[in-house]
Amino acid sequence: MSNFILGLDVGTTSVKAVLIETDSRSVAATHSLPTDSDLSDSSGVKAKEQDTGRIIDSVNRCLSFLPADKLQRVSSIGLTGQMHGVLFWKAKSGCDWSNRDFFTARDTSQLITWQDGRCSSDFLSSLPKPDSHQSVATGFGCATIFWYMKHRPEFLEGFTAAGTIQDYVVSMLCGLDECVMTPQNAASWGFFNTSSNQWNENILKGAGFPLHLLPRCVSSGSLVGQTCSSWHGIPAGTPVGAALGDFQCSVYSCMSACTDAVLNISTSAQLTFTMPTDFKPPDSPEPSSSIAYFPYFDSLYLAVAASLNGGNVLATFVEMLTAWMRELGAEPADSCLYEKLINSALSQETSDLMVNPTILGERHNPLCLGQVTNISASNLSLGHVIRALCHGIVSNVTSMMPAERLQQAGVRRIVGSGSALARNEVLRQEVEKAFPQEMVYGQNADSAVGVAMVLCDRL
């Protein structure tokens, strides 16, 4: 009988569990559930937090939907999830196993997510300069800890460990007295040097940072322990991998050759490819650069153009139209509105209307907001507007990482993935106009599948 690898993605809005058959590498079972864990912000500091207990409850419910007979034959467990964020807990009492077959959260903080906005640009500029090629932004774990040091130091005194939400789950599963983290998640916290794979301890110590909250780093793709108890029928003693970044795992799930690039357009948009084996990132951050370098596997890096503006721009346009229709007294039939908009643009092959869709700004240029230009009486139809909007989304990505850059890197094929690309033929048409490389679709990037495949390939 075949064994299975469990891949679990603890995401921003949902959790997803996947069982991969070890022999065939095929998906044997999968389930996902929304976490419904967002907390309202009454603090006035632009906080973005989630209820840890609800997230873990969602994990437990999600796993309960997988076939019990297959869970009993799980041979290893891989965790991935939302990067950058930070969760604090008491290492000796961070969860409750009294239910025997699953744990619940205990003695933890809320999860402060990657979307947290409490660290203003003035606050960030007051922090010491990191010894790293990556800048530090609001929502990054180390920046959030610095914020608590300054504004609520007593809050930190109640905790002995910190990590991402996926690191926390790994620690609880293995009964660890510390947090163990991979460079993929550590780099997303800031103040981590990916060349030496070490925290900037001297810099942080000089700023009074609580060094005991820094996780211990291990290599991406390695095992960190074994389950300390049976978990939803998975036997005690099952090997558990160190938690990985959701972006790296989503790329791993669909990039099959080093000459591939992956273009993902879902809520946001990312275009990425692997750098050569001898690539070393710059010594210091380049905040104005539209391309970032993320640690991948085996000392490799991904070159990433990560746009904040993707399918969310189209969703905002639909919401705006819907609100206008309501104001005019017309109740919209919401379910088919998106499809009608796409169809209107399919009959409009080009448009001279120009839409810069960066309504959320970009990390490298946060003040560059959206614009509509070249408006004339002849290009105001819905077909023109939607065609120009889709063209603008793709053009924004190519402005961050031009097609020539991909050609110079030896990219021969682009793997298209993501919900917005899958359901929007106009977006696909604009992508194919923008890139001379071969485009392939159908293999959606999936972090839960990716983390299971990492263990499948490395164990």
Side-chain angles (χ1 to χ4, degrees):
M1 294 178 75
S2 294
N3 288 332
F4 302 92
I5 294 175
L6 172 65
L8 187 63
D9 177 19
V10 188
T12 308
T13 58
S14 63
V15 296
K16 181 174 184 178
V18 169
L19 288 174
I20 299 280
E21 191 174 28
T22 53
D23 293 338
S24 65
R25 292 167 55 95
S26 60
V27 176
T30 180
H31 197 78
S32 63
L33 284 174
T35 57
D36 297 321
S37 59
D38 283 354
L39 297 170
S40 57
D41 175 26
S42 58
S43 64
V45 296
K46 298 182 181 177
K48 191 72 173 178
E49 299 181 354
Q50 295 182 333
D51 186 301
T52 307
R54 282 189 220 161
I55 295 172
I56 300 305
D57 288 347
S58 299
V59 169
N60 287 324
R61 284 189 295 115
C62 188
L63 289 172
S64 72
F65 282 95
L66 296 181
D69 61 319
K70 290 181 171 61
L71 287 170
Q72 291 167 8
R73 302 206 306 278
V74 165
S75 58
S76 58
I77 300 169
L79 268 291
T80 185
Q82 51 177 304
M83 297 156 70
H84 305 294
V86 58
L87 169 69
F88 303 92
W89 67 90
K90 293 181 180 178
K92 300 285 188 183
S93 57
C95 70
D96 181 359
W97 279 98
S98 61
N99 290 300
R100 300 201 176 198
D101 200 43
F102 61 90
F103 70 87
T104 54
R106 185 179 67 186
D107 290 343
T108 75
S109 69
Q110 312 295 10
L111 171 64
I112 300 99
T113 78
W114 61 275
Q115 297 169 311
D116 190 81
R118 73 187 72 199
C119 296
S120 66
S121 55
D122 285 346
F123 177 80
L124 291 169
S125 64
S126 73
L127 300 181
K129 295 290 181 283
D131 173 23
S132 170
H133 73 281
Q134 293 183 313
S135 304
V136 178
T138 186
F140 283 28
C142 283
T144 302
I145 294 173
F146 268 122
W147 187 92
Y148 275 108
M149 280 172 52
K150 180 176 180 179
H151 297 284
R152 288 182 57 195
E154 73 286 350
F155 170 85
L156 296 175
E157 293 170 5
F159 302 106
T160 61
T164 66
I165 181 67
Q166 57 269 28
D167 295 318
Y168 164 76
V169 176
V170 167
S171 293
M172 298 306 104
L173 280 179
C174 298
L176 302 178
D177 288 339
E178 60 179 343
C179 178
V180 176
M181 188 182 266
T182 60
Q184 294 180 1
N185 287 319
S188 79
W189 263 27
F191 292 95
F192 183 81
N193 188 299
T194 57
S195 296
S196 63
N197 282 334
Q198 291 181 333
W199 296 102
N200 299 168
E201 287 196 16
N202 290 335
I203 294 171
L204 292 171
K205 185 178 181 180
F209 190 94
L211 296 182
H212 68 279
L213 291 178
L214 290 177
R216 176 170 64 87
C217 270
V218 298
S219 61
S220 300
S222 62
L223 297 175
V224 293
Q226 300 176 332
T227 50
C228 61
S229 174
S230 68
W231 190 47
H232 294 277
I234 299 170
T238 300
V240 180
L244 302 172
D246 56 356
F247 179 74
Q248 287 90 338
C249 288
S250 69
V251 171
Y252 197 92
S253 71
C254 61
M255 184 187 282
S256 57
C258 62
T259 53
D260 284 352
V262 175
L263 173 63
N264 181 71
I265 307 180
S266 46
T267 303
S268 53
Q270 302 88 26
L271 177 58
T272 185
F273 62 88
T274 51
M275 295 298 289
T277 53
D278 60 352
F279 170 79
K280 296 295 180 210
D283 291 333
S284 57
E286 298 176 338
S288 61
S289 173
S290 61
I291 297 178
Y293 299 101
F294 288 11
Y296 194 40
F297 296 97
D298 303 320
S299 301
L300 290 174
Y301 286 84
L302 295 171
V304 187
S307 171
L308 300 174
N309 302 276
N312 49 6
V313 175
L314 290 162
T316 300
F317 183 81
V318 172
E319 289 165 12
M320 179 188 75
L321 271 188
T322 303
W324 284 1
M325 291 163 73
R326 288 204 178 102
E327 286 181 42
L328 294 168
E331 193 62 34
D334 210 26
S335 60
C336 58
L337 185 58
Y338 189 87
E339 285 72 20
K340 287 180 177 176
L341 293 173
I342 300 305
N343 287 333
S344 72
L346 286 172
S347 58
Q348 184 66 53
E349 292 184 6
T350 61
S351 177
D352 56 354
L353 186 67
M354 304 297 291
V355 176
N356 178 4
T358 54
I359 56 175
L360 299 173
E362 293 293 4
R363 288 188 180 95
H364 66 283
N365 194 359
L367 300 180
C368 181
L369 299 179
Q371 292 180 323
V372 182
T373 56
N374 209 44
I375 303 169
S376 69
S378 61
N379 62 15
L380 292 175
S381 70
L382 273 177
H384 271 282
V385 173
I386 297 299
R387 174 64 67 176
L389 193 55
C390 291
H391 177 80
I393 290 170
V394 176
S395 292
N396 181 53
V397 174
T398 59
S399 74
M400 295 172 67
M401 186 182 284
E404 300 79 52
R405 176 76 188 263
L406 297 178
Q407 287 178 308
Q408 290 166 5
V411 171
R412 296 178 194 159
R413 186 177 76 154
I414 298 175
V415 181
S417 74
S419 55
L421 208 53
R423 62 187 292 216
N424 187 331
E425 188 179 342
V426 182
L427 260 185
R428 294 197 297 275
Q429 289 176 354
E430 294 301 322
V431 165
E432 286 159 20
K433 290 178 194 173
F435 295 101
Q437 290 88 353
E438 176 194 1
M439 287 294 308
V440 293
Y441 304 99
Q443 188 166 359
N444 253 358
D446 189 316
S447 299
V449 170
V451 72
M453 286 171 62
V454 168
L455 289 182
C456 197
D457 289 343
R458 289 166 181 267
L459 292 184

